[in-house]
């Protein structure tokens, strides 16, 4: 038996069960996951727009150049914003994977952008950010809302159709079983 009796034991167990809910890192992590879909939508829209314009205008090469330049610049800016969001919400500092330019002229820098795997990886990240963000946001929302619904089940189980909550293998009715 724990010192303080059974009541102290129950309070200790309850405190341990609620520890994640009281942790600020839990709420910052949830905020990060719930923002994934919105941030992914913005990044996806900007990158896909410039990527589609660049590919469509390749037939008139001089017109494709400004769109390609905007694609790379916007992708770099979006990546910096994403890294700062992760640093602010999760405390994870991610270094910039893209090496500084070696070329001095504007054309040399443009060619360097085209040949850089890290820059294309950033573009791919922003293209995949929307489906990944929607998936993670939906999964986190279902998990958190589902757990809240189960915790609050004793309060509303009597008002459900048939007066019980029906799960696959069992039913929960009002009273102490809830």
């Amino acid at each position: 038996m724990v010192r303080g009796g059974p009541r102290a034991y129950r309070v200790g167990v309850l405190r341990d069960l609620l520890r994640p809910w009281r942790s600020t890192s839990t709420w910052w992590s949830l905020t990060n996951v719930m923002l994934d879909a919105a941030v992914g939508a913005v990044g996806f829209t900007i990158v896909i727009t410039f990527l589609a314009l660049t590919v469509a205008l390749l037939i008139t090469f001089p017109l494709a150049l400004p769109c390609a330049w905007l694609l790379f610049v916007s992708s770099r800016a979006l990546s910096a914003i994403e890294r700062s969001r992760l640093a602010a919400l999760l405390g994870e500092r991610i270094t910039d994977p893209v090496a500084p330019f070696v070329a001095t002229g504007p054309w040399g820098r443009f060619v360097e952008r085209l040949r850089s795997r890290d820059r294309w990886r950033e573009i791919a990240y922003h293209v995949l950010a929307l489906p990944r963000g929607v998936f993670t946001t939906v999964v986190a929302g279902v998990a958190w809302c589902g757990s809240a619904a189960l915790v609050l089940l004793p309060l509303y189980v009597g008002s459900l159709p048939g007066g019980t909550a029906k799960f696959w293998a069992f039913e929960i009715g009002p009273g102490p079983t809830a």
Side-chain angles (χ1 to χ4, degrees), residues 11-13 15 29 31 34 37 50 56 86 103 107 109 112-113 122 124 143 153-154 158 164 171 177:
V11 169
V13 168
R15 184 179 59 239
S29 297
T31 302
M34 297 309 279
F50 287 130
L86 292 174
W107 181 252
R109 286 184 177 179
E112 201 173 322
R113 281 185 176 111
E122 283 181 343
L153 185 64
T164 62
E171 291 185 26
T177 60

Side-chain angles (χ1 to χ4, degrees), residues 49-85:
T49 300
F50 287 130
L51 187 62
L53 280 171
T54 301
V55 170
L57 291 174
L58 276 178
I59 197 159
T60 57
F61 186 71
L63 294 176
L65 290 177
C67 293
W69 181 81
L70 286 170
L71 169 67
F72 287 111
V73 170
S74 63
S75 176
R76 291 290 294 146
L78 289 167
S79 295
I81 291 168
E82 185 70 10
R83 283 191 301 275
S84 68
R85 178 174 78 108

Side-chain angles (χ1 to χ4, degrees), residues 6 52 68 111 132 144 146-147 177-178:
V111 171
R132 179 193 54 86
W144 279 81
S147 65
T177 60

Side-chain angles (χ1 to χ4, degrees), residues 13-57:
V13 168
L14 185 61
R15 184 179 59 239
D16 289 343
L17 284 174
L18 296 177
R19 187 178 317 246
W21 291 77
R22 296 187 329 232
S23 172
T24 57
S25 65
T26 300
W27 297 106
W28 285 120
S29 297
L30 180 63
T31 302
N32 180 56
V33 170
M34 297 309 279
L35 285 173
D36 274 351
V39 171
V42 170
F44 176 85
T45 303
I46 292 170
V47 168
I48 281 293
T49 300
F50 287 130
L51 187 62
L53 280 171
T54 301
V55 170
L57 291 174

